[in-house]
Amino acid sequence: MFQLTIDPLGATIDLAEGQTLLDAALRQGIHIPHACGHGLCGTCKVRVCAGSVDHGAANPFALMDFEREDGQTLACCATACEDVVIEADVDEEPDAEVIPVRDFAVTVERIVDLTPTIKGMHLALDRSVTGLHFQAGQYVQLEIPGLGQSRAFSIANAPHEVERSGHIELHVRRVPGGVGTGWLHDQLKVGDRLRLAGPYGRFFVRKSIAQPLLFMAGGSGLSSPRSMILDLLAGGCTLPITLVYGQRCREELYGDDEFRALAAQHANFRYLPTLSAEPEGSTWSGARGFVHEAAATLYPQGYAGQQAYLCGPPPMIEACLAALMQGRLYERDIHTEKFLSAADAQGPRSPLFKRV
């Protein structure tokens, strides 16, 4: 067993054989920025100051030869060959709870067709272990049986609901050609046993910031905002909360009745769904266009004074970032969660913000 020291924290933790640097840190509640988790995007790049590592399956475009020679590695796939000291960009986040990542066994309790391409999967946590504690907006890594791989899915229900019911809800969109999501859509059945690990991520509401909240979501990216909004409303939040949610067409729009009901019940919550490819002449009478276009109709004076939370596919995130910047909202008040496929993870990073 080797030891890993993480600077500038000065924290030293044990490394199990074959354990990645990222996994060891997260299981001690130490957050190293990361995204894809598979050596593809380069978000978790750290500098090895002492000792040596095996770079593992790091993609040569995410970790270039000159970076390896310069002592850099990707924490998500690097393993130690001896005691190691690394320097990592560990952000101080006052609203972040220190929650070590843990493993859980779950049983498939229910599977619901939310849309033709998105399934709602309700997973009962094994009652023999302490429940899953998380901050609304975080995600889990779900192991896909037979593939030897895991996939990231945001938790769609609120923390208090998970504590009460003992089950978590995941929204799984079928990725065209995706082996993992294809298996979950075609093979998974009620009663199956699965394993997952979590919680992961830094996508959660900064509750210490007393500013109105704007959620912008697309596709199955609704799952995190749903958890966050339900958590806020259940906790008695009185700040203005807005959700702008985009889908291509009416049959892909899910959660619509629930959010309309919440808007009717809570004076501080408003909801605007928008469809970008709904056929002309249909019965849809709501907004049409993309998320950033619909949001602009609610904020004609710009976005200054908001705190924005963006969750969805990378093209939606990029369009919303540009619109928010043009509307005078800047990096410190914008938080994102991109839904990355393997192809997305290898794409370019945002030119607008250094941390997204």
Side-chain angles (χ1 to χ4, degrees):
M1 179 180 291
F2 301 128
Q3 289 192 317
L4 169 66
T5 299
I6 304 172
D7 287 336
L9 296 178
T12 299
I13 59 179
D14 290 331
L15 285 167
E17 183 178 355
Q19 185 178 29
T20 67
L21 308 185
L22 178 63
D23 185 65
L26 294 176
R27 289 180 183 275
Q28 295 298 318
I30 299 173
H31 178 81
I32 295 176
H34 60 281
C36 74
H38 301 290
L40 298 171
C41 70
T43 305
C44 64
K45 199 171 293 177
V46 298
R47 182 177 299 279
V48 180
C49 303
S52 59
V53 300
D54 181 335
H55 296 294
N59 185 287
F61 294 101
L63 184 68
M64 297 185 179
D65 289 341
F66 76 89
E67 292 175 312
R68 297 172 193 241
E69 294 170 1
D70 190 41
Q72 298 182 68
T73 194
L74 301 185
C76 72
C77 51
T79 55
C81 301
E82 56 186 319
D83 290 349
V84 172
V85 179
I86 64 170
E87 183 179 40
D89 182 17
V90 182
D91 293 331
E92 291 293 332
E93 180 57 72
D95 288 289
E97 295 183 35
V98 178
I99 309 174
V101 168
R102 299 166 53 210
D103 296 311
F104 296 88
V106 296
T107 302
V108 180
E109 188 177 73
R110 187 159 55 99
I111 302 174
V112 180
D113 289 327
L114 298 175
T115 79
T117 63
I118 301 172
K119 289 185 180 290
M121 299 181 178
H122 298 253
L123 310 176
L125 294 161
D126 193 326
R127 293 289 187 174
S128 64
V129 297
T130 306
L132 170 60
H133 177 62
F134 68 101
Q135 290 183 264
Q138 292 188 298
Y139 66 92
V140 296
Q141 288 280 0
L142 182 69
E143 291 185 11
I144 311 297
L147 296 184
Q149 300 177 4
S150 62
R151 296 289 186 272
F153 298 104
S154 296
I155 303 172
N157 46 345
H160 67 275
E161 294 177 340
V162 174
E163 182 178 351
R164 176 184 56 80
S165 68
H167 83 265
I168 66 171
E169 181 179 345
L170 308 179
H171 296 167
V172 180
R173 180 180 71 88
R174 182 192 289 273
V175 176
V179 177
T181 58
W183 190 94
L184 291 172
H185 270 250
D186 298 333
Q187 304 297 323
L188 190 68
K189 60 185 184 299
V190 172
D192 284 351
R193 296 277 289 172
L194 298 171
R195 295 193 63 81
L196 58 83
Y200 293 92
R202 304 286 265 191
F203 191 61
F204 50 81
V205 174
R206 276 59 181 177
K207 294 183 178 180
S208 65
I209 302 174
Q211 294 178 175
L213 300 109
L214 168 60
F215 294 91
M216 305 171 81
S220 58
L222 182 64
S223 50
S224 289
R226 178 180 187 267
S227 176
M228 298 157 91
I229 291 167
L230 292 176
D231 182 56
L232 287 166
L233 294 177
C237 176
T238 58
L239 292 169
I241 303 170
T242 299
L243 169 63
V244 183
Y245 173 49
Q247 275 284 15
R248 288 182 52 80
C249 57
R250 183 66 184 86
E251 66 177 355
E252 288 291 338
L253 185 70
Y254 74 97
D256 190 56
D257 290 342
E258 177 183 33
F259 287 111
R260 290 182 187 276
L262 287 172
Q265 296 166 12
H266 299 273
N268 64 318
F269 175 61
R270 63 178 174 176
Y271 163 62
L272 176 60
T274 183
L275 304 180
S276 62
E278 177 70 3
E280 293 296 332
S282 75
T283 58
W284 175 252
S285 59
R288 292 173 181 262
F290 296 106
V291 171
H292 65 286
E293 296 169 333
T297 66
L298 299 179
Y299 298 89
Q301 304 304 315
Y303 300 98
Q306 305 291 315
Q307 51 173 318
Y309 296 86
L310 284 53
C311 190
M316 186 217 88
I317 298 292
E318 292 298 325
C320 289
L321 284 173
L324 292 172
M325 174 180 275
Q326 292 167 4
R328 301 189 64 77
L329 194 68
Y330 302 115
E331 183 175 6
R332 69 175 185 178
D333 293 317
I334 301 175
H335 309 277
T336 68
E337 184 81 296
K338 289 184 182 179
F339 277 23
L340 295 171
S341 68
D344 294 327
Q346 297 179 71
R349 305 303 303 280
S350 170
L352 300 175
F353 293 86
K354 67 179 182 180
R355 61 175 172 80
V356 296

